Amino acid sequence: MKLRDIIEILEETYPLSSAAAWDNSGLQVGDAGMEVKKLYIALDATFEHIKTAREIKADLILTHHPLLMSGVKSVTSEDFHGRKILNLIKSGMAHYAMHTNFDVETMASLSATILGMEEEAVLEPVYVDKEGKEQGFGRVGSLSERMRLRELADLVKERFHIDHVRVFGDPERMVSRVAMIPGSGKSMMDAVLTSGAEVFLSGDFGHHDGLDACDQGLSVIDAGHYGLEHIFIDYMASFLKEKLSGVEVVPAELENIFHIF
């Protein structure tokens, strides 16, 4: 199957027009006319994932995060990103990224469903679809029952198959209304605070981010950037296995991005 045909299928459901203006989703490296027989899906185009894709003889690496987010003035082996690009080209592989367009179209609602959120609403609307329904970044809604913050933390670990989370706030606090943004959501703190949420579930919170949230009455569960967004891998694997003909789809295995000792 031609890469351009795969791209057409992807962008029919996940148009680049849904992506944020600062984003760089789309074809990162490769020839749209190349033949794709095997596709490898990961969250990031790390050297390790590029190596795995090469070892299994994949023709295309599909990731959530783009390899290139800023302008590239040269591609050489002296540069970190240049080495990745050269590695891909020498291996005959293409790389395509689905970042904020996937966040808007699927990631937000999928994560809310996995958590079991009820009466969910979009935190930051981007557009209204053909059915008159808002689509956008993040979700806010209610849990099926009130629970302690520590119990919600355990639920997050169970539902998203992660080993640990970081909690800011009183573990015994009873909560029911949750705002959720997979990835790094602290830039949307104002929207979360005005949503009436009691707890904010996201990733990449620093010391002061967590303390400032608590001082404003908002508990925080930091599940890590990878912890919530890895759902992209299995979801897209299922999506593409149904959509693509004659292409083997291989999802990356769930991994520990960092270790706590």
Side-chain angles (χ1 to χ4, degrees):
M1 192 172 191
K2 297 292 185 184
L3 175 54
R4 65 167 54 92
D5 296 325
I6 295 175
I7 292 174
E8 184 178 347
I9 289 171
L10 290 173
E11 295 182 3
E12 181 180 0
T13 302
Y14 302 99
L16 297 182
S17 59
S18 295
W22 51 263
D23 193 17
N24 188 38
S25 292
L27 184 61
Q28 308 279 294
V29 178
D31 177 3
M34 70 181 288
E35 193 73 24
V36 175
K37 294 182 180 179
K38 184 177 288 189
L39 183 159
Y40 180 70
I41 305 176
L43 198 69
D44 298 275
T46 63
F47 280 117
E48 190 63 32
H49 284 306
I50 292 173
K51 177 184 176 183
T52 299
R54 184 175 65 247
E55 289 174 347
I56 66 172
K57 295 181 170 51
D59 305 294
L60 170 64
I61 299 179
L62 175 69
T63 66
H64 180 48
H65 297 131
L67 171 61
L68 303 172
M69 284 294 290
S70 57
V72 177
K73 294 185 178 181
S74 63
V75 178
T76 73
S77 60
E78 303 303 313
D79 175 72
F80 170 68
H81 289 103
R83 290 196 297 275
K84 286 188 178 182
I85 294 170
L86 290 172
N87 200 326
L88 287 164
I89 292 172
K90 288 178 181 179
S91 301
M93 291 188 293
H95 172 225
Y96 188 94
M98 302 166 57
H99 192 206
T100 53
N101 52 334
F102 184 83
D103 288 338
V104 168
E105 301 291 346
T106 296
M107 185 76 86
S109 58
L110 176 61
S111 59
T113 298
I114 292 172
L115 183 64
M117 189 180 291
E118 299 177 351
E119 301 176 350
E120 64 180 80
V122 177
L123 262 175
E124 187 174 287
V126 172
Y127 75 98
V128 177
D129 64 22
K130 295 177 182 178
E131 299 176 355
K133 188 176 181 180
E134 283 187 332
Q135 301 295 340
F137 295 103
R139 291 292 188 271
V140 60
S142 301
L143 301 171
S144 58
E145 60 180 340
R146 288 184 68 78
M147 62 180 68
R148 291 178 174 82
L149 183 60
R150 68 164 66 249
E151 293 173 323
L152 177 57
D154 287 337
L155 181 65
V156 170
K157 290 191 292 183
E158 175 190 337
R159 296 284 174 88
F160 288 89
H161 307 291
I162 50 181
D163 295 331
H164 56 264
V165 297
R166 297 167 63 238
V167 176
F168 294 88
D170 179 3
E172 301 304 317
R173 180 187 183 185
M174 299 298 293
V175 297
S176 63
R177 187 162 175 80
V178 181
M180 183 176 188
I181 303 173
S184 181
K186 59 189 177 183
S187 64
M188 291 178 59
M189 184 62 77
D190 288 344
V192 173
L193 288 169
T194 59
S195 72
E198 298 163 308
V199 56
F200 186 15
L201 172 58
S202 190
D204 295 348
F205 283 90
H207 172 81
H208 295 291
D209 302 317
L211 293 183
D212 289 348
C214 289
D215 277 347
Q216 297 175 86
L218 183 68
S219 300
V220 171
I221 296 178
D222 183 342
H225 203 115
Y226 181 88
L228 299 180
E229 287 196 332
H230 71 77
I231 59 177
F232 165 85
I233 299 170
D234 286 343
Y235 182 88
M236 285 308 302
S238 297
F239 176 86
L240 290 174
K241 284 176 182 178
E242 290 184 3
K243 295 284 186 178
L244 304 185
S245 175
V247 178
E248 183 181 353
V249 178
V250 181
E253 295 181 0
L254 190 63
E255 58 186 318
N256 287 322
I257 299 301
F258 60 89
H259 305 276
I260 296 177
F261 295 100

